[in-house]
Amino acid sequence: WAAPSGGKVLQITEGSTSSVVTNNTQTYADTGLTATLTTTAANSKVLVIVNQNGLLRSAGSSFGHAVTLTLDEDAGTDRNTYTYLLYGNGAAGYVTDFRTMSLSFHYLTAAITSASTAKTFKTKFKNTTATAGTGAWQHTGASTMILMEIAA
């Protein structure tokens, strides 16, 4: 067994959810996807890989609905924010439109100076436009988050 050196994967953990969560406000709400990793070595980094499935529902005759997804680090720091925009036809009588989506992304933390540091990540979303659109994550299949501790 060799001592850890730069770039080696020290540990992997995963979180997943299949829960349906809706949000029709402009305030972030949890999607239910979360994962925690406690570092084993000083100065390591955490690589976060997310695959988030969802559904964007727009309603009414307004033009252009959007939902924003963000990665939250340690309950307060937003990392990697994405907006998914759905354009409606804007015509009178326009009722409802649904769009499924799958968003995959990654994020690498800065070096974490101390071993035994717990890092928690979760995804949150909000209705970006002040219209009747509703973002409903977890339309089909599970969303997953993988955390990898990477040696310094």
Side-chain angles (χ1 to χ4, degrees):
W1 171 260
S5 61
K8 291 186 179 180
V9 175
L10 302 178
Q11 66 172 313
I12 300 172
T13 188
E14 177 188 27
S16 66
T17 185
S18 294
S19 300
V20 175
V21 180
T22 61
N23 182 11
N24 63 0
T25 72
Q26 291 181 292
T27 302
Y28 279 113
D30 289 346
T31 65
L33 180 59
T34 186
T36 300
L37 180 144
T38 301
T39 59
T40 59
N43 298 315
S44 61
K45 297 179 180 183
V46 177
L47 176 61
V48 183
I49 302 171
V50 174
N51 183 36
Q52 183 85 54
N53 294 310
L55 172 78
L56 175 60
R57 174 187 179 268
S58 66
S61 60
S62 21
F63 188 69
H65 300 275
V67 64
T68 298
L69 177 78
T70 189
L71 177 66
D72 179 81
E73 181 180 355
D74 294 331
T77 305
D78 290 336
R79 310 286 187 193
N80 289 31
T81 299
Y82 301 92
T83 299
Y84 183 87
L85 186 59
L86 168 63
Y87 284 101
N89 64 12
Y94 176 70
V95 181
T96 303
D97 197 3
F98 295 92
R99 293 285 189 263
T100 59
M101 63 192 111
S102 182
L103 180 61
S104 297
F105 61 92
H106 66 275
Y107 170 72
L108 182 64
T109 67
I112 302 163
T113 57
S114 301
S116 301
T117 300
K119 299 295 289 180
T120 299
F121 298 88
K122 64 181 175 180
T123 55
K124 303 183 298 184
F125 74 114
K126 67 179 178 178
N127 182 9
T128 306
T129 52
T131 62
T134 301
W137 293 96
Q138 290 314 122
H139 173 60
T140 56
S143 290
T144 59
M145 181 183 300
I146 298 170
L147 305 181
M148 296 184 198
E149 182 181 6
I150 309 297

